[in-house]
Amino acid sequence: MTLKTPLDMIRWNADGLVPVIAQDHADGCVLMVAWMNREALARTLEIGEAVYWSRSRARLWHKGESSGHVQVVHDLRLDCDRDVILLKVEQKGGIACHTGRRHCFYHQYRDGEWVEVDPVLKDPAAIYGEEAPSHGR
Amino acid sequence: MTLKTPLDMIRWNADGLVPVIAQDHADGCVLMVAWMNREALARTLEIGEAVYWSRSRARLWHKGESSGHVQVVHDLRLDCDRDVILLKVEQKGGIACHTGRRHCFYHQYRDGEWVEVDPVLKDPAAIYGEEAPSHGR
């Protein structure tokens, strides 16, 4: 008999991943969505900062490893279907998005089109140097 | 030449779906995550209430169609990678989860296990009658 671990409770998808929502613990702003595999979640629990699985780079991604914009985990939640994780975090530097914005959801639907409504707080080139990512995950 | 519509801007996955976060527009509570296809999003835009694609039932799912707990859309956002939608909604009835809770993220990670920390506000049998769903989506 094998005892189930908390990680076994999660319904990982066919690729062994679950989507993860990062939300500001203080004001509830939804910052971003990324993915975790078992190893990423185990590492997140170990260090208390968000570690995702980068699908594009196919490796663990300690959020903030390049930018310094780490996410300190205050609360970790799992939904009723056990296939989505919600992290309530303190976003260091106040910038979660690779575009230099506070959060990733800056396209707003208005009158039939997507409009960029949230400001860039810092030039990505200044955040990442020459290694500015073309996308976040 | 074909003009791109706002729905063409979205990077639908291989199944033609995107994950959608529903968030309370007033206090920022993350209520649930579900999925939309093009038809679900078009219908959402048309009626101003959340319409998802139910993967388990393989049909459009007008949230609240059984329970009356519809979600009135106040703001519709798309993320930087254009593959996640964020809906800011007014949750009618104050219950988003099929378990009768306000939101779906009621499992909290504590001392190595998942603990149910949020109360059931209404018995699902009272919400759905005999057609209580075994899961939300």
Side-chain angles (χ1 to χ4, degrees):
Chain A
M1 181 181 151
T2 313
L3 286 174
K4 281 201 169 187
T5 73
L7 274 63
D8 292 328
M9 292 291 293
I10 295 169
R11 289 168 59 190
W12 307 95
N13 74 9
D15 296 322
L17 304 174
V18 287
V20 180
I21 304 165
Q23 179 185 31
D24 189 290
H25 79 107
D27 72 358
C29 177
V30 174
L31 300 171
M32 57 183 280
V33 167
W35 296 79
M36 285 188 186
N37 60 8
R38 292 180 69 100
E39 193 184 354
L41 179 53
R43 186 81 180 127
T44 296
L45 293 172
E46 188 184 337
I47 69 172
E49 296 178 353
V51 177
Y52 301 109
W53 176 256
S54 169
R55 295 177 301 172
S56 58
R57 288 168 285 177
R59 68 167 177 85
L60 288 183
W61 165 37
H62 180 192
K63 168 71 180 166
E65 62 193 6
S66 306
S67 61
H69 298 161
V70 300
Q71 296 177 331
V72 179
V73 178
H74 284 240
D75 194 7
L76 181 68
R77 299 293 189 111
L78 182 64
D79 76 337
C80 52
D81 288 342
R82 308 197 316 274
D83 61 1
V84 183
I85 286 174
L86 173 65
L87 293 183
K88 301 189 186 183
V89 304
E90 177 188 351
Q91 177 62 64
K92 295 292 184 183
I95 293 175
C97 186
H98 74 289
T99 64
R101 293 176 172 89
R102 181 181 181 203
H103 61 82
C104 296
F105 294 91
Y106 57 84
H107 298 102
Q108 184 179 51
Y109 188 82
R110 279 188 193 173
D111 302 326
E113 56 185 337
W114 298 105
V115 182
E116 296 186 1
V117 295
D118 297 288
V120 173
L121 302 177
K122 192 168 178 180
D123 182 348
I127 299 174
Y128 299 98
E130 291 178 4
E131 291 180 53
S134 58
H135 51 78
R137 48 184 196 276
Chain B
M1 180 182 152
T2 313
L3 286 175
K4 281 201 170 187
T5 73
L7 273 61
D8 293 328
M9 291 290 292
I10 295 169
R11 289 167 58 190
W12 307 94
N13 73 11
D15 296 322
L17 304 174
V18 287
V20 180
I21 303 165
Q23 180 185 31
D24 189 291
H25 80 106
D27 72 359
C29 178
V30 174
L31 301 170
M32 57 182 280
V33 169
W35 296 79
M36 285 187 185
N37 60 7
R38 293 180 68 100
E39 193 182 355
L41 178 53
R43 186 78 182 131
T44 297
L45 293 171
E46 187 183 338
I47 69 173
E49 296 179 353
V51 177
Y52 301 108
W53 176 255
S54 169
R55 294 177 302 172
S56 58
R57 289 168 285 178
R59 66 166 178 85
L60 287 183
W61 165 37
H62 179 191
K63 169 71 182 165
E65 62 192 8
S66 307
S67 62
H69 298 162
V70 301
Q71 297 176 330
V72 179
V73 178
H74 285 240
D75 194 7
L76 182 67
R77 298 294 188 109
L78 183 63
D79 76 337
C80 52
D81 288 342
R82 308 199 314 276
D83 61 3
V84 183
I85 285 174
L86 174 65
L87 293 183
K88 300 188 188 185
V89 304
E90 178 188 352
Q91 176 62 64
K92 295 293 185 183
I95 293 175
C97 186
H98 73 289
T99 64
R101 293 176 173 88
R102 182 182 180 202
H103 61 81
C104 296
F105 294 92
Y106 57 83
H107 298 101
Q108 183 180 49
Y109 189 81
R110 279 188 192 172
D111 301 327
E113 55 185 338
W114 297 106
V115 182
E116 297 186 1
V117 295
D118 296 290
V120 172
L121 302 176
K122 192 170 177 180
D123 181 348
I127 300 173
Y128 300 99
E130 291 177 7
E131 291 180 53
S134 59
H135 51 80
R137 48 186 195 277

